[in-house]
Each structure stands twice: as structure tokens, then as C-alpha cells.
């Protein structure tokens, strides 16, 4: 009896401590947050956005120091890429010295950040109405002063004319496919994308193989590894017909002829095409609303597509993003499809999944597919600096870890911190399915985590190409540049517990690459109006899916 009383007393005591901690958080956290922003407000009270060359160079140096020199993956990336970040930094110093506008300067920063260690690297305007600080926990708009808001507004107004100049020029877009850069016609863009080189393949740029210029061109996309061709590449190359550095290109056209043309490379143009139009649509005017959609169409989930093949007792799920808001619906729809198909085999297609919320993978998707548990705690290591200390060591984030993120832990040892993330899966499937996981160089972030966790199961096989990587590596940080107050996102940690290459992603069990022939066949089907993403259509052109079906049919 006495033991029960003691246990009951301790339980009540724990509850009381928890209540006190939550109450303290409610009272103290807003003050700490506001104090943090008061510290950040220094020097950001004027509307004039003009920067001196010295200020721009200080920003560049700060980014280089925080996102590269203090990044534990710097040496690893230099060795694998075969590059010198110091040489790249010095080259960009010369670019920044000669910028003609603040918009061009932002373009150079964006391009420079893209080649620094990491795949989550992103540039942001100092947009205090939209952006969040440090992992999306604190919305800055609540605490932004009027001066800060005016400053953001001024940047946008200054950039508007530059974006309009970019829109006057045609885009020339080339997508990387199996060692080649193939011309693409992009229709869903605020920019006119010329069809002059559609399906043409770049033979050379200034006499060089375009893959050899991976770190020389101004590109928004980070370098990614291609296992089949043993090289790094940029997923897209964006050129235009008149702004920036002129390059002479040879292009092999679909009819077998070779043409020579001028392609212009400009970081500001790339920024306008790929970032401003997505994150800052007001720079282009308000987007037109789609009045053609029906209630039924709007009810279709945006993050996944599930189809059944009853003859093979198979369920195919094309999982496009780890969207938390559709997690419960995903569980319901997937379980229903598995039951209706009497499924024995599941194909989980992650080839176009750029990530999202990791708990959607660990708590929603994988428990439906697997019957066994996986205990996995990923430990990432980083170096303390002003940004990482704010993210990993302030009281508000320790409270965030305790009450919101499910028990992730931060530990500081000297000038090094360790971030432990719980990625365990509690399987609840009623049977052991044969599971094939399709991966590509576009399998990224939380989808990369899904691929890594599936590797832990004996009944799962990864088929395709290496993932893009940087899934199990801690959380991204947002950081402000000291002069411009632009924001940039980067991951300051490297995983020290999971044995996979942070530069080259997760290697599949069976390697099957996406070929130029597949790409051209897919393009022709799109031109004819076919639904190329459906399971039935993919069976006609998708070599990776066809390989899996052959394995399934061969196994009986």
C-alpha cells in the first residue's frame, strides 16, 4: 500500500511540474522571443536598401563562414566533389564586387549558397510577413517592427523592375537525364520558355562537357550525384536569350543535326524564374484563380495517388510529398486499397517526392506497410555558432523539443552540439508485404528518411537510383545576413549514426536509371494528352516500374 501511495504521489508531482513548466513557457517564451527580435532589429530601421560593396562582401563572408567553414560536412564535400570552396568563394567575391544592382547581388548569393555543403540550402528575402525563424517555430510577423516591414516592402519594390526586365527574355531550360541535358518546354511559368531546343541534347558549352561545368554555371539547384555516370550534376540548367554571361553551345537536335547557339547565364534571371515566382508571387501580380475546377477535383489528395492491380494482388502508391495535413487520409485510403486488392505486394514510388514532415513517414505511412518495429535514433553533429546556438540551445527550443517535436534531444559539449532525432516506426500491418521502394535523384529530405528506414526491413527492396540525400541530418536553420538582412536556410549538421553517404544519398538495392529514350517517350505521351503518371501509362514507358513488375511476376 505504501508503495502505491509513493507512486501516486510521484505521478501527481510530475504532473504538477509539467503544468508549472507549461505555464512558465506561456509567460516567459513570448518575452524571450521578443527579446531575441529586439537584438536582431539593430541597424534595420531605414527604408533605403542600397548596399555598399563592403557591405555586400561582409554578407558573402558571413554566409561562407556560417554555412561552409563552420559546417562539419565541408571537408567531406570537397573530397567527394573534388573542389575547393575557398576558390569558389574567391570567385564569387569578384562577382559581388562588380554587381550592378541589389537584385543581381541577391542572385549571386543564391547561386553561391547552392554550391555550399548541403541540399536544403535556400535564399529568402527578409520577408517578415511570411517567413519563420529557425525551423518554422516562431512566426516573425507578430514581432516585426514597422521599420522591418517597411524594409521588406522596399526590397520587393526595388526588385520588381528587375524581375520585369527578366520576363522580357525567353527561358531556355534543359533537364538532366542520364548524363545528358535535354531541352524542355515549360508551360506552367510566368516566363516564356522557348521550344526551339525541345528534346535537343547539349553536346558542349564553350567546348566543355556541360557536366564538367557543374560548379561554374549560376544555378539555383544544388549538385546531385548520378551513380550510373559517376558524376555530379545540376537537375536543371536555366539559360535565357540576352541577360548575363554569354556561352556558345552545341546542341544535337532530334533530327540528328547539330546547331550552334548563344545561351546566356544570369543568376538574377534564374532567381526570378525559380524562386521569386514561387515564394513571392506578388512580384508578378496576383495569380489568377482557377475557376474551372469542380468540387470533385478539389477532393483529390495532392500528396499521393493510390492504384490497385488486383490480378497481381498489388497496390501502387505514387507518394509525391510527405504532406502532414493529408496524413490521416493517406492511412485510411492506403489501408482500404490494401484490403480491397487482397494485397501481397506494395510498390511505394518516392521518385518525385521532395520531402515534407518526417512524422508523416514514421507515424502514418510506414506503420501501415510494415508489421515489425524499427527503433532508430539519428544523431547529428554540428558546430556551435551564433545561429546554431540560437536554434539548438535557447530555452524556447528546448521547450519545443519537449512538448512539440516528440522528444528530440539537444546536447552541448564544448563547441560541438549533438541533435538526436527519434525516427522509430511502430509497425501495425497485419501481414508482411513484399515492398518495392522506387527512388531517384529527386527523392529528398523526409522522403530520403523513408528510403533509409525501408532499408532497415528485410521485406523491402529499393529500386532506382541514388536519392538526393540529406534526410537524416538534423533540422534546417534560418540565418540572417548582417547587412542586407536576407535570410538563408542551411543544415548545420552531419549525421554520425546512419551509414550512408551525405553527398551521394542512399544507394538502391537494384540500380535502374531513367533513360533519354524513356524521357522522349514520356514527352510524346504528354504531347498527346495522356496521363503519364498513372500506373497503366507507366507500364508502357517506365523502365524502373517495368523492372519491378518483372521481379514480381518472376517470383510468382
Amino acid at each position: 500500500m505504501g508503495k502505491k501511495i509513493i507512486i501516486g504521489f510521484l505521478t501527481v508531482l510530475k504532473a504538477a511540474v509539467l503544468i508549472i513548466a507549461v505555464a512558465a513557457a506561456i509567460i516567459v517564451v513570448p518575452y524571450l522571443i521578443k527579446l531575441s527580435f529586439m537584438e536582431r532589429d539593430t541597424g534595420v530601421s531605414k527604408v533605403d536598401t542600397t548596399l555598399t560593396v563592403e557591405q555586400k562582401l561582409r554578407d558573402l563572408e558571413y554566409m561562407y563562414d556560417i554555412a561552409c567553414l563552420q559546417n562539419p560536412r565541408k571537408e567531406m564535400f570537397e573530397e567527394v566533389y573534388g573542389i575547393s570552396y575557398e576558390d569558389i568563394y574567391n570567385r564569387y567575391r569578384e562577382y559581388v564586387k562588380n554587381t550592378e544592382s541589389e537584385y543581381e547581388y541577391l542572385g549571386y548569393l543564391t547561386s553561391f549558397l547552392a554550391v555550399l555543403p548541403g541540399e536544403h540550402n535556400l535564399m529568402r528575402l527578409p520577408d517578415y510577413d511570411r517567413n519563420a525563424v529557425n525551423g518554422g517555430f516562431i512566426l516573425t510577423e507578430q514581432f516585426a517592427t514597422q521599420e522591418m516591414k517597411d524594409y521588406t516592402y522596399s526590397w520587393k519594390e526595388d526588385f520588381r523592375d528587375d524581375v520585369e526586365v527578366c520576363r522580357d527574355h525567353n527561358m531556355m531550360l534543359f533537364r538532366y537525364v542520364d548524363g545528358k541535358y535535354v531541352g524542355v518546354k515549360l508551360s506552367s511559368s510566368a516566363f516564356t520558355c522557348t521550344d526551339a531546343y525541345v528534346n535537343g541534347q547539349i553536346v558542349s558549352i564553350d567546348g566543355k562537357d556541360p557536366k564538367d561545368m557543374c560548379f561554374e554555371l549560376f544555378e539555383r539547384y544544388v549538385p546531385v550525384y548520378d551513380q550510373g555516370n559517376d558524376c555530379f550534376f545540376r537537375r536543371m540548367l536555366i539559360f535565357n536569350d540576352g541577360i548575363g554571361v554569354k556561352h556558345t553551345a552545341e546542341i544535337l537536335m532530334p533530327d540528328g543535326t547539330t546547331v550552334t547557339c548563344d545561351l546566356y547565364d544570369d543568376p538574377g534571371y534564374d532567381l526570378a524564374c525559380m524562386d521569386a515566382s514561387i515564394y513571392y508571387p506578388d512580384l508578378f501580380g496576383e495569380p489568377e484563380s482557377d475557376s474551372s475546377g469542380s468540387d470533385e477535383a478539389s477532393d483529390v489528395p495532392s500528396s499521393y495517388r493510390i492504384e490497385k492491380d488486383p490480378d497481381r494482388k498489388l497496390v501502387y502508391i505514387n507518394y509525391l510529398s510527405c504532406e502532414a495535413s493529408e496524413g490521416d487520409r493517406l492511412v485510411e485510403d492506403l489501408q482500404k486499397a490494401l484490403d480491397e486488392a487482397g494485397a501481397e505486394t506494395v510498390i511505394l514510388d518516392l521518385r518525385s517526392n521532395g520531402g515534407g514532415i518526417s512524422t508523416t513517414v514514421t507515424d502514418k505511412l510506414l506503420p501501415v506497410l510494415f508489421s515489425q518495429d524499427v527503433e532508430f535514433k539519428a544523431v547529428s553533429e554540428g558546430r556551435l555558432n551564433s545561429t546554431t546556438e540560437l536554434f539548438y540551445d535557447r530555452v524556447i527550443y528546448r521547450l519545443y523539443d519537449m512538448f512539440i517535436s516528440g522528444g528530440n534531444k539537444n546536447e552541448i559539449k564544448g563547441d560541438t552540439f549533438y541533435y538526436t532525432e527519434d525516427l522509430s516506426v511502430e509497425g501495425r500491418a497485419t501481414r508482411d508485404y513484399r515492398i518495392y521502394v522506387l527512388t531517384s535523384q529527386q527523392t529528398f529530405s523526409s522522403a530520403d528518411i523513408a528510403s533509409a528506414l525501408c532499408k532497415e526491413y528485410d521485406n523491402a527492396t529499393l529500386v532506382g537510383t541514388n536519392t538526393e540525400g540529406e534526410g537524416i541530418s538534423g533540422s534546417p536553420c534560418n540565418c540572417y545576413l548582417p547587412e542586407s538582412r536576407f535570410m538563408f536556410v542551411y543544415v548545420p549538421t552531419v549525421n554520425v549514426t546512419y551509414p550512408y553517404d551525405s553527398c551521394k544519398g542512399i544507394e538502391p538495392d537494384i540500380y535502374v536509371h531513367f533513360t533519354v529514350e524513356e524521357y522522349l517517350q514520356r514527352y510524346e505521351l504528354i504531347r498527346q494528352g495522356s496521363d503519364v503518371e498513372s500506373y497503366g501509362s507507366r507500364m508502357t514507358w517506365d523502365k524502373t516500374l517495368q523492372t519491378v513488375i518483372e521481379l514480381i511476376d518472376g517470383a510468382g
Side-chain angles (χ1 to χ4, degrees), residues 322-340:
C322 307
E323 176 59 52
S325 64
E326 294 185 338
D328 290 334
R329 182 177 179 180
L330 168 65
V331 170
E332 181 180 340
D333 290 349
L334 180 54
Q335 188 61 63
K336 181 180 178 181
L338 292 169
D339 294 340
E340 291 178 349

Side-chain angles (χ1 to χ4, degrees), residues 432-447:
D432 291 325
Y433 303 104
R434 288 183 298 175
I435 296 179
Y436 294 90
V437 183
L438 311 188
T439 61
S440 77
Q441 292 108 345
Q442 296 184 59
T443 305
F444 175 55
S445 194
S446 292

Side-chain angles (χ1 to χ4, degrees), residues 306-368:
I306 299 174
E307 298 180 76
K308 296 170 288 187
D309 185 342
D311 293 339
R312 292 186 172 88
K313 295 184 178 181
L314 179 152
V315 168
Y316 169 78
I317 172 170
N318 190 1
Y319 194 33
L320 301 171
S321 67
C322 307
E323 176 59 52
S325 64
E326 294 185 338
D328 290 334
R329 182 177 179 180
L330 168 65
V331 170
E332 181 180 340
D333 290 349
L334 180 54
Q335 188 61 63
K336 181 180 178 181
L338 292 169
D339 294 340
E340 291 178 349
E344 297 177 356
T345 305
V346 177
I347 298 176
L348 174 60
D349 194 340
L350 300 176
R351 288 175 293 176
S352 297
N353 193 315
I357 305 301
S358 61
T359 51
T360 309
V361 170
T362 57
D363 299 351
K364 304 294 183 180
L365 173 65
L366 297 188
V368 179

Side-chain angles (χ1 to χ4, degrees), residues 158-314:
D158 291 344
F159 289 162
R160 197 180 303 277
D161 290 341
D162 294 288
V163 171
E164 288 299 326
V165 170
C166 292
R167 292 182 70 175
D168 291 337
H169 291 268
N170 290 321
M171 184 196 309
M172 300 169 184
L173 190 65
F174 295 86
R175 176 183 173 180
Y176 182 88
V177 183
D178 191 23
K180 307 292 184 183
Y181 281 97
V182 183
V184 177
K185 171 70 172 178
L186 188 65
S187 57
S188 57
S189 171
F191 289 75
T192 301
C193 188
T194 180
D195 59 1
Y197 307 111
V198 168
N199 295 339
Q201 301 175 28
I202 299 180
V203 177
S204 67
I205 301 176
D206 297 336
K208 299 179 182 178
D209 187 314
K211 296 192 297 297
D212 295 337
M213 301 186 72
C214 183
F215 293 93
E216 296 182 26
L217 297 171
F218 303 124
E219 291 302 328
R220 170 64 193 83
Y221 291 103
V222 300
V224 182
Y225 180 65
D226 177 0
Q227 178 186 7
N229 292 282
D230 191 24
C231 69
F232 287 90
F233 66 93
R234 302 294 186 95
R235 190 179 301 142
M236 294 280 189
L237 295 182
I238 305 170
F239 297 101
N240 69 86
D241 61 4
I243 302 177
V245 179
K246 184 173 76 170
H247 299 280
T248 301
E250 286 186 290
I251 299 178
L252 176 64
M253 300 302 292
D255 62 4
T257 61
T258 300
V259 299
T260 301
C261 63
D262 292 334
L263 302 177
Y264 290 80
D265 183 28
D266 181 75
Y269 187 89
D270 293 2
L271 175 69
C273 292
M274 307 311 295
D275 273 357
S277 59
I278 298 173
Y279 297 108
Y280 303 99
D282 47 324
L283 288 175
F284 297 89
E286 291 299 321
E288 296 182 5
S289 60
D290 182 8
S291 58
S292 62
S294 63
D295 292 339
E296 289 79 13
S298 63
D299 194 45
V300 175
S302 62
S303 62
Y304 62 89
R305 178 173 180 169
I306 299 174
E307 298 180 76
K308 296 170 288 187
D309 185 342
D311 293 339
R312 292 186 172 88
K313 295 184 178 181
L314 179 152

